[in-house]
């Protein structure tokens, strides 16, 4: 199972923080609810592309001694099963779907000089599919004065909500409370997203 590391700041600070297993050690098991601190259980490695970083990051893992299952502490700027950070995906989707930029211009707005056509289309398709569920789920977070333009389509409305709430804050809520993924879960992960590790068969576009 993955839970989120409440982390905001430069990636270098994330590297420093996860070096200390005690710092964010869960004091109970989120899977079996045993009230015992989890045991450090090493790291797994995953790739991450952010505005200023493109490489491998370590994700800390803990083990529950009661149910023998692992919990990993994913930094909240990273999306489960996707290589690109929330910020990059968000900037691209806003530029393309809200501001109407071309695919190439939207990729540049997201800091990507080379964006394969398929990748951009993949994010767009997944977001469009997910938008109705996201906009419903995010209603409770949106500010009361948030313009709810009934004429706006789900995609624009959801993007505006995400912009006003903040993408990472919205992701924190959706993922931690509802196990909802901003771009939806792939078929190879179970719908609740409760997996101890990411299946190697899943590609990360
Ligand atoms: Zn447990």
């Amino acid at each position: 199972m993955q839970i989120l590391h409440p982390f905001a700041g430069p990636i270098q600070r994330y590297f420093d923080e996860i070096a200390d297993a005690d710092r964010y050690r869960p004091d109970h098991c989120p899977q079996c609810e045993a009230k015992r601190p989890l045991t450090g259980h090493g790291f797994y490695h995953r790739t991450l592309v952010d505005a200023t970083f493109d490489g491998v990051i370590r994700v800390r893992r803990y083990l529950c001694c009661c149910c023998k299952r692992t919990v990993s502490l994913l930094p909240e700027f990273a999306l489960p099963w996707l290589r690109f950070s929330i910020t990059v995906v968000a900037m691209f989707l806003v530029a393309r779907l809200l501001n109407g930029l071309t695919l190439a211009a939207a990729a540049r707005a997201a800091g990507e000089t080379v964006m394969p056509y398929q990748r951009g289309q993949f994010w767009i398709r997944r977001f469009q599919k997910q938008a109705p569920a996201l906009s419903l789920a995010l209603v409770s977070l949106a500010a009361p004065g948030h313009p709810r333009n009934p004429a706006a389509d789900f995609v624009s409305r959801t993007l505006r909500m995400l912009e006003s709430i903040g993408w990472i804050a919205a992701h924190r809520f959706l993922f931690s409370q509802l196990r909802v993924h901003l771009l939806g879960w792939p078929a190879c992960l179970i719908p609740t997203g409760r997996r101890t590790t990411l299946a190697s068969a899943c590609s990360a576009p």
Side-chain angles (χ1 to χ4, degrees), residues 21-205:
D22 287 330
R23 184 129 184 201
Y24 293 97
R25 182 192 302 278
D27 62 1
H28 70 280
C29 175
Q31 299 183 97
C32 73
E33 304 296 332
K35 300 275 179 266
R36 278 211 253 156
L38 303 185
T39 308
H41 194 57
F43 299 91
Y44 78 86
H45 295 79
R46 58 157 285 164
T47 51
L48 180 85
V49 183
D50 193 24
T52 57
F53 181 86
D54 183 350
V56 174
I57 63 168
R58 293 194 302 171
V59 176
R60 189 169 270 292
R61 250 189 328 225
Y62 295 92
L63 178 69
C64 171
C65 296
C66 297
C67 67
K68 309 288 179 208
R69 285 180 288 184
T70 60
V71 172
S72 53
L73 206 57
L74 188 71
E76 62 184 17
F77 52 76
L79 280 165
W81 75 268
L82 285 179
R83 217 152 47 87
F84 287 78
S85 73
I86 291 180
T87 309
V88 173
V89 173
M91 287 190 296
F92 174 80
L93 291 175
V94 167
R96 179 79 184 104
L97 297 175
L98 209 52
N99 301 335
L101 268 58
T102 63
L103 203 68
R108 282 195 298 278
E112 297 300 305
T113 45
V114 185
M115 169 73 83
Y117 177 80
Q118 291 89 337
R119 182 189 298 143
Q121 286 300 99
F122 177 83
W123 291 352
I124 287 167
R125 269 200 314 273
R126 293 211 61 115
F127 186 79
Q128 286 170 331
K129 198 168 164 208
Q130 191 71 345
L134 292 179
S135 81
L136 274 179
L138 291 173
V139 161
S140 65
L141 286 194
H146 183 74
R148 293 195 176 112
N149 179 2
D153 60 281
F154 274 122
V155 169
S156 311
R157 202 188 318 170
T158 307
L159 286 167
R160 291 203 174 89
M161 285 169 107
L162 285 162
E163 288 284 281
S164 93
I165 294 162
W167 285 71
I168 289 179
H171 164 65
R172 191 188 305 133
F173 167 77
L174 292 167
F175 186 78
S176 305
Q177 306 295 320
L178 310 172
R179 295 276 144 193
V180 167
H181 191 290
L182 281 171
L183 295 190
W185 293 104
C188 60
L189 295 177
I190 58 170
T192 57
R194 284 169 188 264
R195 292 279 293 229
T196 52
T197 54
L198 292 173
S200 56
C202 293
S203 58

